Each structure stands twice: as structure tokens, then as C-alpha cells.
Amino acid sequence: METPGDDQAGHALRAPGRLHSFNRYEIKYLLPSDRIPRLRAELTARMTPDSHGVNGGYGVWSVYYDTPDLRFYWEKIEGLKFRRKLRIRHYGDRFAVGDDTEVHVEIKQRVNRVTQKRRVAVPYRLARELCDGRVMIEHGPAQRAFLEEVLELVSLLDLRAVAMTGYQREAYVGQDADLGLRVTMDHRVRGRDRDFPFDAGAENRLIVPARMSVIEFKANERVPYWLTDLAARLDMSVVRVSKYCQAVEAFGRAPRSIFHIPATSEDVPTTGEDVPATVGDIPATTQDVPSAEDIFATTEDKEV
């Protein structure tokens, strides 16, 4: 039986069983690096660090699938109340991924203001057979309906890998009255638009300025007052940002939307992005965060 101090809530989201699904509300922020230490100190005082994070967190790598005309991308940009996307995700060192490494095939969808995730853990070779080869893979009875949905999506919509994203994640999980609460801080968000095997030696490019981190508050029912108050004290503003959309636009696959976070000339491209940086040590610049008119969501589109 779980105790309030256990990290089980974080594990359930980050490392699900063979088939896992959950609903939650999400709020996203963009925060300059010079405010990260204060946010980290406040979170550490009230929450428990995800025990999977070592030396400042862990890598998160995702390959996103879309139609030839980028249907899933445009659904996000247009703010459709029901939208979804398919991805293969790996946690950890991407260079260590082999055929038998466990990855997650995941459908993430939005229904009104609720984010829903359904995913299954499978060896990497089977994930590729399903999503790239478009063939049914070996599975247990509980996985069948989900795998059939994935196979139908990739086959009928002619899905193919479009972009990869990667970042270093710090995560904190709630305890006691905040059980189910999760806060993530994603640093050095980067990606590429080709060579999609996780362990490929292709160069990645920063798709969010290095001086900025993407912060997410995730809750089953509501975000507690102390956390929204903290966001206000740190002058954190809600943004409508998608790492997938950032990657699509950064590589010219689509025109830059009003939600795009521009990178400075010194931020892209760089070499050696895959070497983890010390979290929060990247100096801020004097340039301003994009204006509210450029990147903020409307009230009905905010991810809450």
C-alpha cells in the first residue's frame, strides 16, 4: 500500500505499466533560467523530486508522427477542442536505445480542457514495426484495442515521423493533500526534422532559447492555491506552447504561428546539445520574452 511520501504518483505518469491511461489538467509556462533556482527551492520545500531524476533530471526523447499535410500540427494551432497526436517516447540516454529497449507508444489527445494520455510500453523494435512498418505487433489482451487504434491511425491517415524533440527534465510530485500533483521543468529543448532513430548521430538544434525553460503544472483535478500564488510571485505567464509545433516551425515545415517562441541568433544552431547541461546554469540574456499578443493563449484555449 502506498504511503503519502512515496513517489508512486510520479512513477505512474513517467513509467506506466504495459498499458496505461490517465486524464489530467495542464498549465504551461515559459520561465527564464535566472528564476529557475527560486522555483526549484519552493518546489523542493513542498514536493518530492521524482526519484528517477539523477544529477538534475533525465532525458525525454519523442518522435512525433503526422500526416503529409500536418493535420495534427494544424489541429493544435487552430485550437480544436478535440485533437490528438501520436508519438514514440523514450526516457533516458537516447544513445543507449537498442532494439530491446523499452519505449512508449503514446496517443496524447485533448478533449475540451482535459488532456488524456494512453500508452503502451513495448520494445523499440516493436514500436517501429507498428508505427513505421504499419503491422500489428505481438501483444496481450489488454493492449489490443489501443494497438488497433494506433494501427488504424498510421494506416488510414498515412502517418510518418515528422519531428523529434528532446530535453532534460526535472520533475516533482505532490504528497499528502497534493497527491496527484506533478510539476515538470524542461531545459534545453531541442529537436530535428530527419534521421529519427533515437540513437542516430544526427545534429539536434535548440527549438526554444537556451535561456528559457518550459514549466508545466499537472493535476488530476485542480492546481493548489500555493502553486498558482508561486507562479504569480515569480511573474510566470501562461503560454500556449507545443514542443512538437516548435520543432515543425523551427525547421520550416510550416510558417511560424503567433504562438511560436523565437530563438535568438546565439541560440541556434549549436553543437553538442546532447551533452546534458547543468540545470539552471545557463545565463539569461537581456532580450525580452515574446509579448502576450504573440504567444499567450486565449482564455478558452489555455491548457488548464
Side-chain angles (χ1 to χ4, degrees):
M1 183 175 180
E2 296 178 13
T3 61
D6 287 342
D7 191 11
Q8 297 303 315
H11 297 343
L13 297 182
R14 205 193 70 84
R18 304 306 297 176
L19 179 62
H20 188 78
S21 63
F22 52 89
N23 300 341
R24 67 186 177 196
Y25 296 88
E26 298 181 354
I27 309 177
K28 291 184 181 180
Y29 302 88
L30 199 63
L31 191 67
S33 298
D34 59 353
R35 299 184 209 168
I36 290 294
R38 183 178 172 189
L39 175 60
R40 183 185 295 118
E42 296 273 4
L43 295 178
T44 302
R46 288 180 173 265
M47 304 179 72
T48 302
D50 186 329
S51 61
H52 286 86
V54 178
N55 296 327
Y58 49 85
V60 181
W61 295 91
S62 303
V63 176
Y64 288 89
Y65 289 75
D66 210 333
T67 65
D69 59 356
L70 302 180
R71 171 177 172 171
F72 297 161
Y73 164 83
W74 288 109
E75 287 178 350
K76 169 64 177 180
I77 294 300
E78 293 170 4
L80 296 191
K81 297 306 180 183
F82 174 79
R83 57 183 184 264
R84 57 186 170 180
K85 53 193 172 189
L86 173 70
R87 64 192 178 197
I88 299 177
R89 172 163 285 190
H90 169 67
Y91 296 95
D93 180 2
R94 71 181 182 88
F95 291 110
V97 175
D99 283 348
D100 296 324
T101 302
E102 184 178 88
V103 299
H104 299 93
V105 177
E106 177 177 289
I107 292 176
K108 181 178 181 180
Q109 64 188 35
R110 178 80 177 271
V111 181
N112 293 320
R113 294 190 175 191
V114 179
T115 298
Q116 300 177 339
K117 284 189 181 182
R118 290 168 293 131
R119 59 186 179 186
V120 62
V122 296
Y124 185 39
R125 60 180 175 81
L126 295 185
R128 296 198 311 272
E129 287 180 18
L130 177 67
C131 297
D132 297 325
R134 303 179 183 181
V135 297
M136 180 55 73
I137 60 176
E138 56 190 73
H139 59 274
Q143 300 172 319
R144 184 169 185 81
F146 175 76
L147 294 177
E148 286 179 341
E149 181 180 356
V150 172
L151 186 57
E152 182 178 41
L153 280 175
V154 297
S155 300
L156 296 184
L157 296 181
D158 190 23
L159 301 185
R160 71 282 306 278
V162 169
M164 175 185 285
T165 65
Y167 40 88
Q168 188 77 359
R169 168 166 284 182
E170 283 184 83
Y172 297 83
V173 295
Q175 49 191 330
D176 300 324
D178 295 328
L179 198 62
L181 176 67
R182 183 170 173 82
V183 177
T184 59
M185 299 191 291
D186 296 336
H187 313 286
R188 290 186 63 79
V189 182
R190 50 212 191 273
R192 62 176 185 257
D193 65 343
R194 64 197 68 194
D195 299 321
F196 295 118
F198 284 121
D199 61 348
E203 181 183 36
N204 290 294
R205 173 177 177 169
L206 287 164
I207 58 175
V208 171
R211 62 189 174 85
M212 308 299 294
S213 296
V214 177
I215 314 300
E216 291 187 59
F217 297 170
K218 310 174 185 184
N220 295 336
E221 296 181 358
R222 63 177 181 82
V223 174
Y225 174 78
W226 69 264
L227 192 54
T228 56
D229 179 66
L230 172 61
R233 285 188 282 112
L234 290 180
D235 197 24
M236 296 169 62
S237 299
V238 175
V239 293
R240 181 180 169 186
V241 59
S242 161
K243 300 181 185 76
Y244 168 59
C245 292
Q246 281 288 125
V248 167
E249 295 171 6
F251 291 99
R253 297 292 300 270
R256 293 189 173 185
S257 69
I258 62 172
F259 308 112
H260 186 79
I261 302 168
T264 65
S265 59
E266 63 211 11
D267 285 327
V268 293
T270 64
T271 58
E273 297 111 316
D274 290 337
V275 179
T278 301
V279 173
D281 68 354
I282 303 171
T285 71
T286 57
Q287 295 190 349
D288 293 333
V289 177
S291 68
E293 292 77 15
D294 288 337
I295 62 176
F296 286 9
T298 61
T299 302
E300 62 269 25
D301 285 336
K302 288 181 181 179
E303 302 213 286
V304 296

Coordinates of all heavy atoms in Angstrom, one line a residue, residues 72-124:
F72 N -2.2 17.0 -37.6 CA -2.2 17.1 -36.1 C -1.6 18.5 -35.7 O -2.0 19.1 -34.7 CB -1.3 16.0 -35.5 CG -1.9 14.6 -35.7 CD1 -1.2 13.5 -35.6 CD2 -3.3 14.5 -36.0 CE1 -1.7 12.2 -35.8 CE2 -3.8 13.2 -36.2 CZ -3.0 12.1 -36.1
Y73 N -0.6 18.9 -36.5 CA 0.0 20.2 -36.2 C -1.1 21.3 -36.3 O -1.2 22.2 -35.4 CB 1.2 20.5 -37.2 CG 1.6 21.9 -37.2 CD1 2.5 22.5 -36.3 CD2 1.1 22.8 -38.2 CE1 2.8 23.8 -36.4 CE2 1.4 24.1 -38.3 CZ 2.3 24.6 -37.3 OH 2.7 26.0 -37.4
W74 N -1.8 21.3 -37.4 CA -2.8 22.4 -37.6 C -3.9 22.3 -36.6 O -4.5 23.3 -36.3 CB -3.3 22.3 -39.1 CG -2.3 22.8 -40.0 CD1 -1.6 22.1 -41.0 CD2 -1.8 24.2 -40.2 NE1 -0.7 22.9 -41.6 CE2 -0.8 24.1 -41.2 CE3 -2.1 25.3 -39.5 CZ2 -0.2 25.3 -41.6 CZ3 -1.5 26.5 -39.9 CH2 -0.5 26.5 -40.9
E75 N -4.3 21.1 -36.2 CA -5.3 21.0 -35.2 C -4.9 21.7 -33.9 O -5.7 22.3 -33.2 CB -5.6 19.5 -34.9 CG -6.4 18.8 -36.0 CD -6.6 17.3 -35.7 OE1 -6.1 16.8 -34.7 OE2 -7.4 16.7 -36.4
K76 N -3.6 21.6 -33.5 CA -3.1 22.3 -32.4 C -3.1 23.8 -32.6 O -3.6 24.6 -31.7 CB -1.7 21.8 -32.0 CG -1.0 22.6 -31.0 CD -1.6 22.5 -29.6 CE -0.8 23.3 -28.6 NZ -1.4 23.3 -27.3
I77 N -2.6 24.2 -33.7 CA -2.5 25.7 -34.0 C -3.9 26.3 -34.0 O -4.1 27.4 -33.5 CB -1.8 25.9 -35.3 CG1 -0.3 25.4 -35.2 CG2 -1.9 27.4 -35.7 CD1 0.5 26.2 -34.2
E78 N -4.9 25.6 -34.6 CA -6.2 26.2 -34.7 C -7.0 26.0 -33.4 O -8.1 26.5 -33.3 CB -6.9 25.5 -35.9 CG -6.3 25.8 -37.2 CD -6.9 25.0 -38.3 OE1 -7.8 24.1 -38.1 OE2 -6.4 25.1 -39.5
G79 N -6.5 25.3 -32.4 CA -7.1 25.2 -31.1 C -8.4 24.3 -31.1 O -9.3 24.6 -30.4
L80 N -8.4 23.3 -31.9 CA -9.6 22.4 -31.9 C -9.8 21.8 -30.5 O -8.9 21.5 -29.8 CB -9.4 21.3 -32.9 CG -9.3 21.7 -34.4 CD1 -9.4 20.5 -35.3 CD2 -10.3 22.7 -34.8
K81 N -11.1 21.7 -30.2 CA -11.4 21.2 -28.8 C -11.1 19.7 -28.7 O -10.9 19.3 -27.6 CB -12.9 21.5 -28.5 CG -13.2 23.0 -28.5 CD -12.3 23.7 -27.5 CE -12.7 25.2 -27.5 NZ -11.8 26.0 -26.6
F82 N -11.1 19.0 -29.8 CA -10.7 17.6 -29.8 C -9.5 17.5 -30.8 O -9.7 17.8 -31.9 CB -11.8 16.6 -30.1 CG -11.3 15.2 -30.3 CD1 -11.1 14.5 -29.1 CD2 -11.0 14.7 -31.5 CE1 -10.6 13.2 -29.2 CE2 -10.5 13.4 -31.6 CZ -10.3 12.6 -30.5
R83 N -8.4 17.1 -30.3 CA -7.2 16.9 -31.1 C -6.3 15.8 -30.5 O -6.4 15.5 -29.3 CB -6.5 18.2 -31.3 CG -6.0 18.8 -30.0 CD -5.3 20.2 -30.3 NE -4.8 20.8 -29.1 CZ -5.4 21.8 -28.4 NH1 -6.6 22.2 -28.8 NH2 -4.8 22.3 -27.4
R84 N -5.5 15.2 -31.3 CA -4.6 14.2 -30.8 C -3.3 14.1 -31.6 O -3.2 14.7 -32.6 CB -5.3 12.8 -30.8 CG -5.8 12.4 -32.2 CD -6.6 11.1 -32.1 NE -7.3 10.9 -33.4 CZ -8.0 9.8 -33.6 NH1 -8.2 8.9 -32.6 NH2 -8.6 9.6 -34.7
K85 N -2.4 13.4 -31.0 CA -1.1 13.2 -31.7 C -0.5 11.9 -31.3 O -0.8 11.4 -30.2 CB -0.1 14.3 -31.5 CG 0.1 14.7 -30.1 CD 0.9 16.0 -30.0 CE 1.0 16.5 -28.6 NZ 1.5 17.9 -28.5
L86 N 0.3 11.3 -32.2 CA 0.9 10.0 -31.9 C 2.4 10.2 -31.8 O 3.0 11.0 -32.6 CB 0.6 9.1 -33.1 CG 1.3 7.7 -33.0 CD1 0.8 6.8 -31.9 CD2 1.2 7.0 -34.4
R87 N 3.0 9.6 -30.8 CA 4.5 9.7 -30.7 C 5.0 8.4 -30.1 O 4.3 7.6 -29.4 CB 4.8 10.9 -29.8 CG 4.4 10.8 -28.4 CD 4.5 12.1 -27.7 NE 4.1 12.1 -26.3 CZ 3.8 13.2 -25.6 NH1 4.0 14.4 -26.1 NH2 3.4 13.1 -24.3
I88 N 6.3 8.2 -30.3 CA 7.1 7.2 -29.6 C 8.0 7.9 -28.6 O 8.8 8.8 -29.1 CB 7.9 6.3 -30.5 CG1 7.0 5.5 -31.5 CG2 8.8 5.3 -29.8 CD1 7.8 4.7 -32.5
R89 N 8.0 7.5 -27.4 CA 8.8 8.3 -26.4 C 9.8 7.4 -25.6 O 9.5 6.2 -25.3 CB 7.9 9.0 -25.4 CG 8.5 9.6 -24.2 CD 7.6 10.6 -23.5 NE 7.5 11.8 -24.3 CZ 6.9 12.9 -23.8 NH1 6.4 13.0 -22.5 NH2 6.9 14.0 -24.5
H90 N 11.0 7.9 -25.4 CA 12.0 7.2 -24.6 C 12.5 8.1 -23.5 O 12.7 9.3 -23.7 CB 13.2 6.8 -25.5 CG 14.4 6.4 -24.7 ND1 14.4 5.2 -24.0 CD2 15.6 6.9 -24.5 CE1 15.5 5.0 -23.4 NE2 16.3 6.1 -23.7
Y91 N 12.6 7.6 -22.3 CA 13.2 8.3 -21.1 C 14.6 7.8 -20.9 O 14.9 6.6 -20.7 CB 12.3 8.0 -19.9 CG 10.9 8.5 -20.0 CD1 9.9 7.7 -20.4 CD2 10.6 9.8 -19.7 CE1 8.6 8.1 -20.5 CE2 9.3 10.3 -19.8 CZ 8.3 9.4 -20.2 OH 7.0 9.9 -20.3
G92 N 15.5 8.8 -20.8 CA 16.9 8.4 -20.6 C 17.9 8.8 -21.7 O 17.6 9.8 -22.5
D93 N 19.0 8.1 -21.8 CA 20.0 8.4 -22.8 C 19.6 7.8 -24.1 O 19.5 6.6 -24.3 CB 21.3 7.7 -22.3 CG 22.5 8.0 -23.3 OD1 22.3 8.7 -24.3 OD2 23.6 7.4 -23.0
R94 N 19.4 8.7 -25.1 CA 19.0 8.2 -26.4 C 20.0 7.3 -27.1 O 19.7 6.4 -27.9 CB 18.5 9.3 -27.3 CG 19.7 10.2 -27.8 CD 19.1 11.3 -28.7 NE 20.1 12.2 -29.3 CZ 20.7 12.0 -30.4 NH1 20.4 10.9 -31.1 NH2 21.6 12.8 -30.9
F95 N 21.3 7.5 -26.8 CA 22.3 6.7 -27.4 C 22.4 5.3 -26.9 O 23.0 4.4 -27.5 CB 23.7 7.4 -27.2 CG 23.8 8.7 -28.0 CD1 23.9 9.9 -27.4 CD2 23.9 8.7 -29.4 CE1 24.0 11.1 -28.1 CE2 24.0 9.9 -30.1 CZ 24.1 11.1 -29.4
A96 N 21.7 5.1 -25.8 CA 21.6 3.7 -25.2 C 20.5 2.9 -25.7 O 20.3 1.8 -25.4 CB 21.6 3.8 -23.7
V97 N 19.7 3.5 -26.6 CA 18.5 2.8 -27.1 C 18.8 1.7 -28.1 O 19.6 2.0 -29.1 CB 17.5 3.8 -27.7 CG1 16.3 3.0 -28.4 CG2 17.0 4.8 -26.7
G98 N 18.4 0.5 -27.9 CA 18.6 -0.6 -28.8 C 17.2 -1.2 -29.2 O 16.2 -0.8 -28.7
D99 N 17.2 -2.3 -29.9 CA 16.0 -3.0 -30.4 C 15.1 -3.4 -29.2 O 13.9 -3.4 -29.3 CB 16.3 -4.2 -31.2 CG 16.7 -3.8 -32.7 OD1 16.5 -2.6 -33.0 OD2 17.2 -4.7 -33.4
D100 N 15.8 -3.8 -28.1 CA 15.0 -4.3 -27.0 C 14.8 -3.3 -25.9 O 14.2 -3.7 -24.8 CB 15.8 -5.6 -26.4 CG 15.8 -6.7 -27.4 OD1 14.9 -6.9 -28.1 OD2 16.9 -7.4 -27.4
T101 N 15.2 -2.1 -26.1 CA 15.0 -1.0 -25.1 C 13.5 -0.7 -25.0 O 12.8 -0.6 -26.0 CB 15.7 0.2 -25.4 OG1 17.1 -0.1 -25.5 CG2 15.5 1.3 -24.4
E102 N 13.0 -0.6 -23.8 CA 11.5 -0.3 -23.6 C 11.3 1.2 -24.0 O 12.0 2.1 -23.5 CB 11.1 -0.5 -22.2 CG 9.6 -0.3 -22.0 CD 9.2 -0.6 -20.5 OE1 9.2 0.3 -19.7 OE2 8.8 -1.8 -20.3
V103 N 10.3 1.4 -24.8 CA 9.8 2.8 -25.2 C 8.3 2.8 -25.0 O 7.7 1.7 -24.7 CB 10.2 3.2 -26.6 CG1 11.8 3.2 -26.7 CG2 9.6 2.2 -27.6
H104 N 7.7 3.9 -25.2 CA 6.3 4.0 -25.1 C 5.6 4.5 -26.4 O 6.1 5.6 -26.9 CB 5.9 4.9 -23.9 CG 6.4 4.5 -22.6 ND1 7.6 4.9 -22.1 CD2 5.9 3.6 -21.7 CE1 7.8 4.3 -20.9 NE2 6.8 3.5 -20.7
V105 N 4.7 3.8 -26.9 CA 3.9 4.3 -28.0 C 2.7 5.0 -27.3 O 2.0 4.4 -26.5 CB 3.4 3.1 -28.9 CG1 2.5 3.6 -30.0 CG2 4.6 2.4 -29.5
E106 N 2.5 6.2 -27.7 CA 1.5 7.0 -27.0 C 0.6 7.8 -27.9 O 1.1 8.4 -28.9 CB 2.3 8.0 -26.0 CG 1.4 8.9 -25.2 CD 2.3 9.8 -24.3 OE1 2.8 9.2 -23.3 OE2 2.4 11.0 -24.6
I107 N -0.6 7.9 -27.5 CA -1.6 8.8 -28.1 C -1.9 9.8 -27.0 O -2.4 9.5 -26.0 CB -2.9 8.1 -28.6 CG1 -2.6 7.2 -29.8 CG2 -3.9 9.2 -29.0 CD1 -3.8 6.4 -30.3
K108 N -1.6 11.1 -27.3 CA -2.0 12.2 -26.4 C -3.1 13.0 -27.1 O -2.9 13.4 -28.3 CB -0.8 13.1 -26.1 CG -1.1 14.2 -25.2 CD 0.2 15.0 -24.9 CE -0.1 16.1 -23.9 NZ 1.1 17.0 -23.6
Q109 N -4.2 13.2 -26.4 CA -5.3 13.9 -27.0 C -5.8 14.9 -26.0 O -5.7 14.8 -24.8 CB -6.3 13.0 -27.5 CG -7.0 12.1 -26.5 CD -7.9 11.1 -27.1 OE1 -7.7 10.5 -28.1 NE2 -9.1 10.8 -26.4
R110 N -6.5 15.9 -26.6 CA -7.1 17.0 -25.8 C -8.6 16.9 -26.1 O -9.1 16.9 -27.2 CB -6.6 18.3 -26.2 CG -7.2 19.5 -25.5 CD -6.6 19.7 -24.2 NE -7.1 20.9 -23.6 CZ -6.5 22.1 -23.7 NH1 -5.5 22.3 -24.4 NH2 -7.1 23.2 -23.1
V111 N -9.4 16.8 -25.0 CA -10.9 16.8 -25.1 C -11.3 18.0 -24.3 O -11.3 18.0 -23.0 CB -11.5 15.5 -24.6 CG1 -13.0 15.6 -24.7 CG2 -11.0 14.3 -25.4
N112 N -11.7 19.1 -25.0 CA -12.0 20.4 -24.3 C -10.8 20.8 -23.5 O -9.7 21.0 -24.1 CB -13.3 20.3 -23.4 CG -14.5 20.1 -24.3 OD1 -14.7 20.7 -25.3 ND2 -15.4 19.2 -23.8
R113 N -10.9 20.9 -22.2 CA -9.7 21.3 -21.4 C -8.9 20.2 -20.7 O -8.0 20.5 -20.0 CB -10.2 22.3 -20.4 CG -10.7 23.6 -21.0 CD -10.9 24.7 -19.9 NE -11.3 25.9 -20.5 CZ -11.4 27.1 -19.8 NH1 -11.0 27.1 -18.5 NH2 -11.7 28.2 -20.4
V114 N -9.3 19.0 -21.0 CA -8.7 17.9 -20.3 C -7.7 17.2 -21.3 O -8.1 16.9 -22.4 CB -9.8 16.9 -19.8 CG1 -9.1 15.6 -19.2 CG2 -10.7 17.5 -18.9
T115 N -6.5 16.9 -20.8 CA -5.5 16.2 -21.5 C -5.6 14.7 -21.2 O -5.6 14.4 -20.0 CB -4.1 16.7 -21.2 OG1 -4.0 18.1 -21.6 CG2 -3.1 15.9 -22.0
Q116 N -5.7 13.9 -22.2 CA -5.8 12.4 -22.0 C -4.6 11.8 -22.6 O -4.2 12.1 -23.7 CB -7.1 11.9 -22.6 CG -8.3 12.5 -22.0 CD -9.6 11.9 -22.6 OE1 -9.6 11.4 -23.8 NE2 -10.7 12.0 -21.9
K117 N -4.0 10.8 -21.9 CA -2.9 10.0 -22.5 C -3.2 8.5 -22.4 O -3.7 8.1 -21.3 CB -1.6 10.3 -21.7 CG -1.0 11.6 -22.1 CD 0.4 11.7 -21.4 CE 1.1 13.1 -21.7 NZ 2.4 13.2 -21.2
R118 N -2.9 7.9 -23.5 CA -3.0 6.4 -23.4 C -1.7 5.9 -24.1 O -1.3 6.4 -25.1 CB -4.2 5.9 -24.2 CG -5.5 6.2 -23.5 CD -6.7 6.0 -24.4 NE -6.8 7.0 -25.5 CZ -6.9 6.6 -26.8 NH1 -7.1 5.4 -27.1 NH2 -7.0 7.6 -27.7
R119 N -1.1 5.0 -23.4 CA 0.2 4.5 -24.0 C 0.5 3.1 -23.5 O 0.0 2.6 -22.5 CB 1.3 5.4 -23.6 CG 1.6 5.6 -22.1 CD 2.7 6.7 -22.0 NE 2.9 7.0 -20.6 CZ 3.8 8.0 -20.2 NH1 4.3 8.8 -21.1 NH2 4.0 8.2 -18.9
V120 N 1.4 2.5 -24.3 CA 1.8 1.1 -24.0 C 3.3 1.0 -24.1 O 3.9 1.6 -24.9 CB 1.1 0.1 -25.0 CG1 1.5 0.4 -26.4 CG2 1.4 -1.3 -24.7
A121 N 3.9 0.2 -23.2 CA 5.3 0.0 -23.2 C 5.7 -1.2 -24.0 O 5.1 -2.3 -23.7 CB 5.8 -0.1 -21.7
V122 N 6.5 -1.0 -25.0 CA 7.0 -2.1 -25.8 C 8.4 -2.0 -26.2 O 9.0 -0.9 -26.0 CB 6.1 -2.2 -27.1 CG1 4.7 -2.4 -26.9 CG2 6.3 -0.9 -27.9
P123 N 9.1 -3.1 -26.6 CA 10.5 -2.9 -27.1 C 10.5 -2.0 -28.3 O 9.6 -1.9 -29.1 CB 10.9 -4.4 -27.5 CG 10.0 -5.2 -26.7 CD 8.7 -4.5 -26.6
Y124 N 11.6 -1.3 -28.5 CA 11.8 -0.3 -29.5 C 11.5 -0.9 -30.9 O 10.9 -0.3 -31.8 CB 13.1 0.3 -29.5 CG 13.4 1.5 -30.4 CD1 12.4 2.4 -30.7 CD2 14.6 1.6 -31.0 CE1 12.6 3.4 -31.6 CE2 14.9 2.7 -31.9 CZ 13.8 3.6 -32.2 OH 14.1 4.6 -33.0

